[in-house]
Amino acid sequence: EPEVTQTPSHQVTQMGQEVILRCVPISNHLYFYWYRQILGQKVEFLVSFYNNEISEKSEIFDDQFSVERPDGSNFTLKIRSTKLEDSAMYFCASTQNMVSIYSNQPQHFGDGTRLSIL
Amino acid sequence: AQKITQTQPGMFVQEKEAVTLDCTYDTSDPSYGLFWYKQPSSGEMIFLIYQGSYDQQNATEGRYSLNFQKARKSANLVISASQLGDSAMYFCAMRGPNAGGTSYGKLTFGQGTILTVHP
């Protein structure tokens, strides 16, 4: 079964450094998402992406964050200047087609990247 | 704004018994979708079951069923015949329109419930 792939599985970065988290969504999916889960807490929405632009973002997704789909297969999340509080598990997810609130299409999640800021 | 509440931080169940994990939600939108995900200790998010707000019947998927009570705004997950491998964190999540009225599929998650299955 096709799956969402995230790399690396664990990233350790010095505070203030830039980090890029990579995701390869399922190939025929059109909607892409990033979520964050601070250790022991709930999963929080960061951003959704469709048709090569951000469709929605949360308050967490400030100017330090950016997303892009550089080559039609990868979907990346960049944090420009990392802070200690950016330490979390970051999940990429994708959905196949026109997202309908009537649809039973689940979001397919990757296994996550654990980001540790030192 | 949408809100999901899971009031049980932790639940314990004996192997082979059934267990109910609670989820209540709040939304002013008439159309929405409710999901349950399982997160084992390894960290991945595994989709379990879906319930649409207009679905007439409660959803079922194998040992998982959803007790959907729309008037009470609750969508409790029932796991029958618990297995040791069911020990994990369980998240309830809602998908619905964003503030602009269109849905790009954003999920709002509850705080999660840690389920421990005892042999």
Side-chain angles (χ1 to χ4, degrees):
Chain A
E1 182 177 325
E3 57 183 26
V4 177
T5 305
Q6 288 186 245
T7 55
S9 57
H10 192 190
Q11 174 81 44
V12 181
T13 302
Q14 291 288 331
M15 186 173 61
Q17 296 295 307
E18 174 183 286
V19 67
I20 297 176
L21 308 182
R22 303 182 191 279
C23 169
V24 179
I26 296 173
S27 61
N28 62 346
H29 284 195
L30 300 177
Y31 291 79
F32 314 112
Y33 312 86
W34 283 102
Y35 294 85
R36 179 182 83 175
Q37 185 183 27
I38 295 172
L39 186 64
Q41 298 187 22
K42 67 178 179 179
V43 180
E44 300 172 291
F45 168 77
L46 291 178
V47 66
S48 59
F49 191 86
Y50 169 69
N51 200 26
N52 284 319
E53 61 183 23
I54 290 173
S55 47
E56 188 178 1
K57 60 183 180 180
S58 71
E59 293 176 351
I60 303 169
F61 195 87
D62 61 22
D63 291 344
Q64 293 299 312
F65 291 88
S66 63
V67 289
E68 64 175 359
R69 191 159 158 80
D71 56 12
S73 63
N74 290 283
F75 178 51
T76 61
L77 174 69
K78 181 193 291 186
I79 309 175
R80 290 188 182 81
S81 179
T82 50
K83 308 181 189 67
L84 293 176
E85 54 263 38
D86 293 329
S87 295
M89 179 77 95
Y90 288 80
F91 289 103
C92 173
S94 67
T95 301
Q96 184 175 9
N97 48 30
M98 168 68 90
V99 174
S100 165
I101 53 177
Y102 303 101
S103 169
N104 65 351
Q105 294 279 339
Q107 288 184 18
H108 295 264
F109 281 76
D111 288 348
T113 293
R114 183 167 299 284
L115 178 62
S116 299
I117 307 300
L118 304 179
Chain B
Q2 298 176 330
K3 187 177 179 182
I4 295 280
T5 303
Q6 294 179 254
T7 57
Q8 305 156 315
M11 288 287 286
F12 295 89
V13 66
Q14 207 70 27
E15 194 178 9
K16 300 180 185 177
E17 298 290 314
V19 63
T20 298
L21 306 183
D22 294 343
C23 173
T24 58
Y25 58 91
D26 189 21
T27 180
S28 56
D29 299 306
S31 300
Y32 48 88
L34 295 159
F35 298 80
W36 278 91
Y37 283 87
K38 173 184 177 182
Q39 186 179 41
S41 57
S42 49
E44 69 270 29
M45 297 287 284
I46 302 168
F47 165 70
L48 295 178
I49 195 167
Y50 166 86
Q51 181 82 45
S53 61
Y54 291 109
D55 291 346
Q56 295 296 314
Q57 293 186 326
N58 288 343
T60 60
E61 286 287 347
R63 294 186 299 111
Y64 304 109
S65 61
L66 208 151
N67 183 1
F68 182 48
Q69 299 189 45
K70 194 171 180 177
R72 294 185 177 184
K73 293 188 175 179
S74 72
N76 299 338
L77 176 71
V78 180
I79 305 174
S80 62
S82 297
Q83 302 172 355
L84 295 178
D86 293 334
S87 294
M89 175 77 91
Y90 288 81
F91 288 102
C92 180
M94 172 184 287
R95 180 182 68 198
N98 63 13
T102 55
S103 176
Y104 293 103
K106 161 189 146 183
L107 292 178
T108 300
F109 284 83
Q111 303 92 319
T113 296
I114 299 175
L115 176 66
T116 304
V117 181
H118 289 303

